[in-house]
PDB file of all heavy atoms in Angstrom:
ATOM      1  N   LEU A 367      57.184 114.446  67.902  1.00 96.00           N
ATOM      2  CA  LEU A 367      57.381 115.799  68.385  1.00 96.00           C
ATOM      3  C   LEU A 367      58.771 115.861  69.052  1.00 96.00           C
ATOM      4  O   LEU A 367      59.295 114.851  69.592  1.00 96.00           O
ATOM      5  CB  LEU A 367      56.332 116.032  69.538  1.00 96.00           C
ATOM      6  CG  LEU A 367      54.873 116.189  69.088  1.00 96.00           C
ATOM      7  CD1 LEU A 367      53.976 116.450  70.230  1.00 96.00           C
ATOM      8  CD2 LEU A 367      54.649 117.295  68.021  1.00 96.00           C
ATOM      9  N   ALA A 371      58.754 120.630  72.344  1.00 97.00           N
ATOM     10  CA  ALA A 371      57.367 120.632  72.187  1.00 97.00           C
ATOM     11  C   ALA A 371      56.638 119.721  73.184  1.00 97.00           C
ATOM     12  O   ALA A 371      55.710 120.026  73.828  1.00 97.00           O
ATOM     13  CB  ALA A 371      56.962 120.148  70.749  1.00 97.00           C
ATOM     14  N   THR A 372      57.343 118.588  73.457  1.00 97.00           N
ATOM     15  CA  THR A 372      56.734 117.662  74.376  1.00 97.00           C
ATOM     16  C   THR A 372      56.811 118.208  75.804  1.00 97.00           C
ATOM     17  O   THR A 372      55.775 118.080  76.532  1.00 97.00           O
ATOM     18  CB  THR A 372      57.689 116.275  74.357  1.00 97.00           C
ATOM     19  OG1 THR A 372      57.953 115.953  73.057  1.00 97.00           O
ATOM     20  CG2 THR A 372      57.024 115.212  75.214  1.00 97.00           C
ATOM     21  N   ALA A 373      57.833 118.850  76.145  1.00 97.00           N
ATOM     22  CA  ALA A 373      57.962 119.551  77.497  1.00 97.00           C
ATOM     23  C   ALA A 373      56.905 120.657  77.671  1.00 97.00           C
ATOM     24  O   ALA A 373      56.290 120.805  78.719  1.00 97.00           O
ATOM     25  CB  ALA A 373      59.359 120.135  77.635  1.00 97.00           C
ATOM     26  N   MET A 374      56.529 121.391  76.572  1.00 97.00           N
ATOM     27  CA  MET A 374      55.498 122.339  76.620  1.00 97.00           C
ATOM     28  C   MET A 374      54.244 121.665  76.968  1.00 97.00           C
ATOM     29  O   MET A 374      53.437 122.097  77.861  1.00 97.00           O
ATOM     30  CB  MET A 374      55.367 123.162  75.360  1.00 97.00           C
ATOM     31  CG  MET A 374      56.539 124.261  75.269  1.00 97.00           C
ATOM     32  SD  MET A 374      56.560 124.970  73.669  1.00 97.00           S
ATOM     33  CE  MET A 374      54.978 125.648  73.668  1.00 97.00           C
ATOM     34  N   LEU A 375      53.859 120.598  76.267  1.00 97.00           N
ATOM     35  CA  LEU A 375      52.603 119.858  76.520  1.00 97.00           C
ATOM     36  C   LEU A 375      52.547 119.302  77.901  1.00 97.00           C
ATOM     37  O   LEU A 375      51.492 119.277  78.585  1.00 97.00           O
ATOM     38  CB  LEU A 375      52.365 118.728  75.495  1.00 97.00           C
ATOM     39  CG  LEU A 375      52.245 119.154  74.042  1.00 97.00           C
ATOM     40  CD1 LEU A 375      52.230 117.937  73.225  1.00 97.00           C
ATOM     41  CD2 LEU A 375      50.909 119.990  73.881  1.00 97.00           C
ATOM     42  N   ARG A 376      53.784 118.986  78.412  1.00 95.00           N
ATOM     43  CA  ARG A 376      53.719 118.337  79.805  1.00 95.00           C
ATOM     44  C   ARG A 376      53.710 119.339  80.889  1.00 95.00           C
ATOM     45  O   ARG A 376      53.097 119.135  81.890  1.00 95.00           O
ATOM     46  CB  ARG A 376      55.034 117.475  79.853  1.00 95.00           C
ATOM     47  CG  ARG A 376      55.088 116.527  80.992  1.00 95.00           C
ATOM     48  CD  ARG A 376      56.219 115.409  80.734  1.00 95.00           C
ATOM     49  NE  ARG A 376      55.681 114.304  79.979  1.00 95.00           N
ATOM     50  CZ  ARG A 376      56.395 113.651  79.126  1.00 95.00           C
ATOM     51  NH1 ARG A 376      57.649 114.045  78.805  1.00 95.00           N
ATOM     52  NH2 ARG A 376      55.854 112.696  78.372  1.00 95.00           N
ATOM     53  N   HIS A 377      54.376 120.496  80.695  1.00 95.00           N
ATOM     54  CA  HIS A 377      54.651 121.368  81.834  1.00 95.00           C
ATOM     55  C   HIS A 377      53.917 122.662  81.894  1.00 95.00           C
ATOM     56  O   HIS A 377      53.880 123.389  82.904  1.00 95.00           O
ATOM     57  CB  HIS A 377      56.108 121.679  81.993  1.00 95.00           C
ATOM     58  CG  HIS A 377      56.927 120.448  82.311  1.00 95.00           C
ATOM     59  ND1 HIS A 377      56.785 119.673  83.354  1.00 95.00           N
ATOM     60  CD2 HIS A 377      57.937 119.872  81.526  1.00 95.00           C
ATOM     61  CE1 HIS A 377      57.594 118.653  83.283  1.00 95.00           C
ATOM     62  NE2 HIS A 377      58.371 118.751  82.257  1.00 95.00           N
ATOM     63  N   TRP A 384      45.334 116.148  80.224  1.00 94.00           N
ATOM     64  CA  TRP A 384      44.918 115.473  78.972  1.00 94.00           C
ATOM     65  C   TRP A 384      44.077 114.270  79.264  1.00 94.00           C
ATOM     66  O   TRP A 384      44.480 113.324  80.009  1.00 94.00           O
ATOM     67  CB  TRP A 384      46.204 115.040  78.217  1.00 94.00           C
ATOM     68  CG  TRP A 384      47.114 116.206  78.022  1.00 94.00           C
ATOM     69  CD1 TRP A 384      48.375 116.254  78.578  1.00 94.00           C
ATOM     70  CD2 TRP A 384      46.875 117.352  77.309  1.00 94.00           C
ATOM     71  NE1 TRP A 384      48.989 117.514  78.234  1.00 94.00           N
ATOM     72  CE2 TRP A 384      48.016 118.204  77.498  1.00 94.00           C
ATOM     73  CE3 TRP A 384      45.885 117.855  76.490  1.00 94.00           C
ATOM     74  CZ2 TRP A 384      48.154 119.464  76.879  1.00 94.00           C
ATOM     75  CZ3 TRP A 384      45.962 119.086  75.929  1.00 94.00           C
ATOM     76  CH2 TRP A 384      47.122 119.859  76.079  1.00 94.00           C
ATOM     77  N   ILE A 394      47.770 120.767  70.178  1.00 97.00           N
ATOM     78  CA  ILE A 394      48.937 120.609  69.416  1.00 97.00           C
ATOM     79  C   ILE A 394      48.939 121.434  68.097  1.00 97.00           C
ATOM     80  O   ILE A 394      49.909 122.163  67.729  1.00 97.00           O
ATOM     81  CB  ILE A 394      49.217 119.127  68.924  1.00 97.00           C
ATOM     82  CG1 ILE A 394      49.688 118.391  70.182  1.00 97.00           C
ATOM     83  CG2 ILE A 394      50.242 118.925  67.840  1.00 97.00           C
ATOM     84  CD1 ILE A 394      49.702 116.810  70.008  1.00 97.00           C
TER      85      ILE A 394
END
Side-chain angles (χ1 to χ4, degrees):
L367 295 180
T372 312
M374 283 173 55
L375 294 174
R376 193 161 277 144
H377 297 300
W384 308 115
I394 286 169

